[in-house]
Amino acid sequence: MFFSLNFQFADVEIIFCSRSNRGMGATLSQAVQSIEDWEGAVIVLADMPWLASSTCSKLSRAVSSDLICVPKFRGSWGNPVAFGSFFYPELRALDADVCPRQLLGTVEARYLKQISVNDAGVLRDIDTQHDIT
């Protein structure tokens, strides 16, 4: 597979995961190991092309070290999810194809912040050819 990356950011580091064959949990675990000094991180899935960049910006502004921020569109939770640094140990412990969203079920309500967005893209991803149409 060939692809091109065109970043317009001053400080971008591309991390190639040596355990990507194990699944999303392993990949995310390795990525979070490299962001110790960040207050929070927005975990954006690659299969969500309809996601508005403004949603990612809104989540990044809302997250703090002790919060998990979830976008909410018309009553439904979506992706991406922003995790504060307090939750990095749990993210680093992920392995295999464990989804970080599973952590939401174990978090006290006071650590969870729903962010209202006007972006249907938070609910839509591409899993099959049919999803593209």
Side-chain angles (χ1 to χ4, degrees):
M1 174 188 288
F2 174 79
F3 59 92
S4 172
L5 298 174
N6 181 11
F7 290 107
Q8 297 189 16
F9 301 100
D11 295 319
V12 173
E13 179 182 357
I14 298 173
I15 301 168
F16 292 95
C17 181
S18 59
R19 302 177 297 149
S20 61
N21 62 321
R22 295 187 48 81
M24 180 172 42
T27 302
L28 184 57
S29 171
Q30 184 170 337
V32 173
Q33 290 175 26
S34 69
I35 59 169
E36 293 180 23
D37 58 341
W38 293 11
E39 184 175 1
V42 181
I43 310 301
V44 183
L45 306 177
D47 65 348
M48 298 185 73
W50 297 280
L51 180 67
S53 61
S54 59
T55 296
C56 295
S57 296
K58 192 170 188 179
L59 288 167
S60 67
R61 287 189 307 271
V63 74
S64 63
S65 61
D66 62 345
L67 286 177
I68 296 175
C69 297
V70 181
K72 189 173 183 180
F73 177 74
R74 295 187 181 163
S76 296
W77 286 9
N79 279 302
V81 176
F83 289 88
S85 58
F86 178 81
F87 301 96
Y88 289 179
E90 286 89 347
L91 293 173
R92 289 183 184 124
L94 294 176
D95 195 22
D97 207 23
V98 177
C99 174
R101 184 175 282 281
Q102 293 172 333
L103 295 176
L104 301 183
T106 65
V107 174
E108 292 180 41
R110 65 187 171 122
Y111 295 115
L112 193 59
K113 183 176 183 179
Q114 298 177 42
I115 307 296
S116 294
V117 297
N118 188 23
D119 178 8
V122 302
L123 304 178
R124 190 170 175 203
D125 64 357
I126 299 174
D127 293 324
T128 67
Q129 181 72 27
H130 178 72
D131 294 336
I132 296 173
T133 57

